[in-house]
Amino acid sequence: MIRTQRLAAGVCALLAALTAGIAFPAGASADETTATAPKVDLVIDVSGSMRAKDIDGQSRMAAAKQAFNEVLDATPEEVQLGIRTLGANYPGDDRRTGCKDTAQLYPVGPLDRTEAKTAVATLTPTGWTPIGPALLKAAEDLDGGEGSKRIVLISDGEDTCAPLDPCEVAREIAAKGIGLTIDTLGLVPNAKMRAQLSCIAEATGGTYTSVEHTEELADKVNQLVGRAADPVVTPVAVEGASSCTKAPTLKAGLYTDREEFGQERWYRVDVEPGQELRASVSVASDRAMNPDYGVLLRALTKSGREIVRGEAAGNGRTDVISTGLRYPKQESDDEEAPAETVCLLVTNSFSAASGVKTTPGMPVELTVDVVDAPAPADDVASFGLGRGWWLLGALVLFGFLAGLIWGWLSRWRVAVWRTN
């Protein structure tokens, strides 16, 4: 019986090793994963003005804490997240001391949700609003690694520590070329604060959003933290034209442009027979907008005939609106058939709120991809499995071997039992 138990243990170990080999194939090491992990530093204003009770019947600080708890629950596992405060510790009147009041509440790294929530619960509105110094320290918090880096600044007022202008600080951070994006959120509708926070965001390619409700704050921060986990792709600046004949010809890639209110932007893409054009466009409402707007992406022939379109509408509850289209170019019997020039037209129906500047235009991201057309219908099954064939084969082999070994063991144990 002892020999039987040893043999069974050995077989279990073999099966465990096989299972581990299938479940965890060779790949990147833990160190490599950490080096490329996206990083986010949430910078929260804890100045005295956060005591004001004007967000859903509770104080701004209470609303921020509630939103942070929801964000911490939803943070993707691959994101390294930290929290920095400004104005949380010094309650006095000395300006020099107050303008140094920024501290790391939770270090940027793998997230312990319970520990982070406990740290957030201790926050009490206290002092000054040193936005500039906090941004400089937050950039240091994110130092190192090759993944994306993002600062999300939440404030209810202007910086109180000039002449260290936070807008200039943001430009300085952008000039270092470290690929760090700063997004800003304002908790009250204040024109001066909006101008400052918008300037900070624009300096690094980020976005500014005004939020007046707890749910909006949680949704927006969640969106920005999730965006940090997206693969980092450096877009190429391009300038769309006023007509297709003057438009730039784009290859597959990610492009950025700016589009004014109600403006048309034209681009061209060459599509060979047997290829499929896939295009999408996103327009950011980076300033106060009137509600009810839309974005339209159209693919047209050079003669102006519409081939296909994609459209989307918004109502002011999000800062980005996106749409896309697909156009498969049929195969041709003529092997020397020329490529077709497809004209892409981007239009919008945004309108600015009263007193809002209409220039420069709104940020536009255009994604273009030209791929081989999808396989015929009778090839869909094999196409869909793709590289999954090796895993399916491994599982079948594993099951077959496990069945043989288990059956042999069962018969052997029965034979031993009868002998005894």
Side-chain angles (χ1 to χ4, degrees):
M1 291 298 293
I2 293 176
R3 290 180 60 193
T4 302
Q5 292 173 352
R6 287 178 177 173
L7 182 57
V11 172
C12 290
L14 174 61
L15 296 180
L18 285 172
T19 303
I22 293 174
F24 304 103
S29 68
D31 290 341
E32 290 173 339
T33 301
T34 301
T36 58
K39 296 181 178 181
V40 178
D41 209 7
L42 303 179
V43 180
I44 177 69
D45 182 348
V46 197
S47 60
S49 59
M50 290 288 283
R51 297 190 191 98
K53 295 185 177 181
D54 56 3
I55 297 185
D56 299 332
Q58 60 183 340
S59 70
R60 299 169 187 172
M61 191 74 256
K65 288 182 179 181
Q66 181 179 334
F68 267 42
N69 285 338
E70 294 182 25
V71 169
L72 292 172
D73 284 334
T75 298
E77 293 293 337
E78 66 269 27
V79 174
Q80 295 193 0
L81 186 137
I83 304 172
R84 172 168 287 278
T85 63
L86 59 95
N89 302 308
Y90 177 69
D93 297 327
D94 182 70
R95 182 176 178 278
R96 179 174 296 182
T97 304
C99 288
K100 295 178 182 178
D101 185 9
T102 177
Q104 194 176 56
L105 183 70
Y106 185 84
V108 177
L111 181 61
D112 182 320
R113 302 176 201 279
T114 301
E115 185 178 339
K117 287 181 180 181
T118 301
V120 170
T122 65
L123 296 177
T124 302
T126 303
W128 296 65
T129 313
I131 294 178
L135 292 178
L136 287 173
K137 289 294 185 181
E140 293 178 8
D141 295 344
L142 297 170
D143 189 34
E146 301 172 2
S148 64
K149 301 178 178 68
R150 187 176 294 271
I151 294 173
V152 180
L153 169 65
I154 300 124
S155 180
D156 71 336
E158 299 172 75
D159 179 271
T160 56
C161 294
L164 187 58
D165 183 350
C167 194
E168 290 299 324
V169 169
R171 293 191 182 106
E172 177 185 328
I173 291 172
K176 292 180 180 179
I178 56 178
L180 192 158
T181 302
I182 303 175
D183 297 289
T184 59
L185 290 88
L187 300 185
V188 292
N190 177 292
K192 289 185 178 180
M193 180 194 69
R194 180 190 297 119
Q196 186 173 83
L197 295 183
S198 294
C199 182
I200 292 170
E202 289 176 3
T204 61
T207 59
Y208 162 74
T209 306
S210 176
V211 293
E212 299 180 43
H213 300 284
T214 306
E215 183 181 352
E216 292 175 353
L217 178 60
D219 288 347
K220 181 59 184 177
V221 179
N222 268 328
Q223 181 187 94
L224 295 173
V225 172
R227 192 177 295 173
D230 294 339
V232 178
V233 179
T234 303
V236 177
V238 67
E239 187 173 347
S242 58
S243 66
C244 184
T245 56
K246 300 177 181 178
T249 300
L250 306 181
K251 302 293 185 182
L254 176 64
Y255 300 88
T256 60
D257 198 356
R258 283 191 176 269
E259 184 175 63
E260 296 181 9
F261 296 83
Q263 188 180 36
E264 292 185 348
R265 302 296 268 177
W266 290 83
Y267 313 88
R268 295 195 299 179
V269 181
D270 291 334
V271 183
E272 299 282 352
Q275 291 185 329
E276 179 175 277
L277 167 63
R278 301 174 183 177
S280 64
V281 64
S282 297
V283 180
S285 52
D286 61 346
R287 64 207 78 178
M289 302 286 185
N290 291 322
D292 300 324
Y293 46 75
V295 170
L296 177 63
L297 174 64
R298 303 170 65 199
L300 304 98
T301 65
K302 288 194 294 184
S303 62
R305 178 180 59 83
E306 181 176 285
I307 303 170
V308 66
R309 66 165 59 190
E311 53 191 341
N315 56 13
R317 292 184 59 84
T318 180
D319 68 324
V320 176
I321 183 169
S322 306
T323 188
L325 57 81
R326 300 173 66 178
Y327 167 52
K329 174 66 176 173
Q330 299 299 318
E331 287 276 9
S332 174
D333 294 334
D334 184 0
E335 296 181 357
E336 298 182 359
E340 178 184 3
T341 297
V342 177
C343 304
L344 292 178
L345 172 61
V346 179
T347 57
N348 72 81
S349 57
F350 285 86
S351 61
S354 177
V356 174
K357 293 182 178 179
T358 59
T359 56
M362 297 169 293
V364 174
E365 277 193 356
L366 181 66
T367 302
V368 174
D369 200 6
V370 180
V371 299
D372 290 338
D378 55 353
D379 290 339
V380 168
S382 60
F383 176 81
L385 283 171
R387 296 183 180 179
W389 275 113
W390 73 268
L391 179 58
L392 180 60
L395 289 173
V396 170
L397 178 61
F398 170 75
F400 177 71
L401 291 175
L404 283 178
I405 295 172
W406 185 256
W408 180 79
L409 275 176
S410 298
R411 293 179 62 186
W412 185 76
R413 290 182 64 183
V414 170
V416 170
W417 178 76
R418 288 178 176 175
T419 301
N420 293 335

